[in-house]
Amino acid sequence: MNKSINPNDVCCMMKMKNYLSGILLLMAVIALQSCSQKNYPVAANQAQKVVAALHDPASKYVVVVAHRGDWRNYPENSLPAIESVIRMGVDVMELDLKMTKDSVLVLCHDGTIDRTTTGSGAVKDFTYAELQKFDLKRGHGIGKPGVKMPTLRQALELCRDRIVVNVDQGYDYYDQVLAITEELGMTDQVLIKSGRPRAEVEAKLAQYPRNMMYMPVVSISDQSDMTLFNGYADAPQPPLAFELCFGKLNEKVRAAAKKALQVNSKVWVNTIWGSLCGEYDDDRAFESANPDEIYAPILNLGTSIIQTDRPEFLIKYLEKKGRRKF
C-alpha cells in the first residue's frame, strides 16, 4: 500500500538540498582562495611570455627588471622581496650569488654578510647552516626576524614560471647554476651575464647542449675600448641583449645602442644609479614633476630592458606610454 507524499515534506527537502549545495559551493570558493594565497603562481607561465618578448627584436614591450627585489620593503635578495616584485608585475628578478664554505649557492650581493645580515664575516667562511643563525636586514639596517638568506634553489623554485631570473655576480658559478636550472626545468627562464670576452664565453657554452640566456655587460666611457662590445656585435650570432653602462649619455653610447639594435640585439640600461645611466636614474624620475625628462632619453636609445630600483613607479610610467603590452 503506497503512502501519500506530503507537499510540505517535498518543499522542506528541496530547501535542504539547496542549502547543502550552497554550503558545498562556498567551501569550494574558500578552498580556491586558500590555494591562491599559498604557493600558487600569480600567472602560470608568465615567465614564458617575458622570454618570448626578450627573444623578439621587434617587440616594443619594455621589460622591467627589479634590482635585488623589493628591497625598500623587505631585505634585498630575500624570498619576500622576490614575492613582492612578482605581485607588482615585474618581468625579471635580478639577484646576486655567493658560495658558502660547504659549496651552497646563496643570494648575497656583498662578499661579507655585515651590511645585509645581523652577522659579520665573509660568506665563504660560513656553512649554509651557520648562515641561517643570522637574520637578514632591511635597507635601513634593521634586522627582519625570521627572514633568512635563501639558497639559489629556493629562489628559483619561487620564481619558476612566474618571473624570469637574471643572475648577477654568478658567471663564475656557471656550471653549478646550470645544474640547478636544468634539474628544475627552467634553464630557458634564466639570464646570466658577465663582462668576459666572447671567445671565453662561447667556449663555456659549447660544453653544454643547452644553456641559460647570456648577455654581455659593456661599460662605455670616452676612454673605453669598444673591443668587448664589437667582439659580440660583429659575431655571426650576436647576443640576446647588451647591458650598456655609461656615466654620460653621449654619441658613443648612442652609436653602441644603434649598432646593437641593427644586429637584432636588445638594449638593457640600468637606471638604479646615475653613474650607470648618465644621471637619468629612478630617484630623479621619482622626484621629478615630469618623469619624461628622465626616462625618455633612455627609451630613445631603443632601450627595451630597464633595471630599476623603483619597479612600481616605472611600470606605471611605461603603462601610460603604452610600452607594457605583449
Side-chain angles (χ1 to χ4, degrees):
M1 183 174 181
N2 293 331
K3 184 178 179 181
S4 61
I5 300 175
N6 189 326
N8 291 330
D9 291 341
V10 173
C11 182
C12 290
M13 292 172 63
M14 292 297 294
K15 288 182 178 179
M16 180 60 71
K17 181 178 180 181
N18 291 337
Y19 175 76
L20 291 174
S21 297
I23 291 295
L24 291 173
L25 178 60
L26 179 60
M27 291 174 65
V29 171
I30 291 173
L32 287 172
Q33 290 177 339
S34 176
C35 287
S36 66
Q37 292 169 359
K38 292 181 181 178
N39 297 321
Y40 285 74
V42 173
N45 296 320
Q46 175 70 12
Q48 275 82 0
K49 294 181 182 179
V50 177
V51 170
L54 288 171
H55 285 282
D56 181 4
S59 175
K60 299 301 181 184
Y61 182 85
V62 177
V63 173
V64 172
V65 185
H67 182 227
R68 306 181 197 173
D70 183 11
W71 59 262
R72 293 181 184 279
N73 297 301
Y74 303 93
E76 68 178 58
N77 279 315
S78 69
L79 297 183
I82 295 173
E83 182 64 39
S84 181
V85 295
I86 292 175
R87 298 290 180 185
M88 288 179 194
V90 168
D91 304 299
V92 181
M93 167 65 200
E94 185 264 359
L95 53 82
D96 307 281
L97 293 185
K98 293 293 179 290
M99 184 171 280
T100 66
K101 185 177 182 180
D102 53 343
S103 301
V104 177
L105 286 173
V106 293
L107 272 56
C108 187
H109 178 273
D110 303 351
T112 68
I113 63 173
D114 300 53
R115 180 180 65 85
T116 56
T117 80
T118 53
S120 179
V123 177
K124 63 182 180 61
D125 292 334
F126 292 93
T127 65
Y128 174 67
E130 289 170 341
L131 286 175
Q132 296 306 289
K133 298 175 183 178
F134 310 118
D135 293 326
L136 289 175
K137 294 178 183 177
R138 288 186 177 180
H140 42 67
I142 299 175
K144 181 68 174 174
V147 180
K148 307 296 182 179
M149 185 180 294
T151 66
L152 173 63
R153 179 182 295 276
Q154 290 170 336
L156 291 178
E157 288 174 339
L158 181 62
C159 293
R160 183 169 48 192
D161 292 335
R162 306 173 73 198
I163 189 170
V164 171
V165 175
N166 169 225
V167 177
D168 195 12
Q169 297 191 15
Y171 186 78
D172 287 343
Y173 313 117
Y174 189 93
D175 302 319
Q176 297 92 331
V177 175
L178 183 63
I180 297 173
T181 66
E182 285 286 86
E183 184 180 336
L184 295 177
M186 57 182 299
T187 296
D188 63 336
Q189 298 173 19
V190 179
L191 170 67
I192 197 164
K193 58 188 179 183
S194 81
R196 308 291 180 84
R198 178 171 68 90
E200 180 182 337
V201 172
E202 287 184 347
K204 169 58 71 176
L205 303 186
Q207 298 176 17
Y208 299 100
R210 179 166 49 199
N211 288 280
M212 294 171 278
M213 294 178 283
Y214 177 80
M215 177 181 69
V217 181
V218 181
S219 295
I220 302 175
S221 68
D222 292 336
Q223 296 78 32
S224 63
D225 181 355
M226 297 301 286
T227 300
L228 178 71
F229 173 81
N230 290 324
Y232 282 98
D234 296 334
Q237 184 63 48
L240 178 77
F242 287 90
E243 179 177 320
L244 302 182
C245 304
F246 47 92
K248 183 189 300 182
L249 206 175
N250 54 24
E251 287 307 311
K252 197 170 186 179
V253 175
R254 293 187 180 92
K258 182 178 180 180
K259 185 170 183 177
L261 297 174
Q262 287 174 339
V263 299
N264 287 329
S265 292
K266 288 185 175 289
V267 174
W268 166 313
V269 173
N270 303 303
T271 55
I272 55 178
W273 304 313
S275 60
L276 296 176
C277 57
E279 303 303 327
Y280 294 99
D281 59 273
D282 296 312
D283 285 345
R284 287 187 64 198
F286 184 77
E287 295 164 2
S288 173
N290 182 15
D292 265 338
E293 295 177 347
I294 308 302
Y295 286 136
I298 297 299
L299 292 173
N300 289 341
L301 286 173
T303 305
S304 58
I305 312 172
I306 299 178
Q307 181 174 203
T308 177
D309 271 332
R310 293 190 179 274
E312 279 187 300
F313 178 77
L314 179 58
I315 287 173
K316 289 178 181 178
Y317 170 83
L318 292 170
E319 286 175 342
K320 290 179 181 178
K321 296 297 177 182
R323 300 297 302 275
R324 291 288 292 169
K325 296 179 182 178
F326 283 111

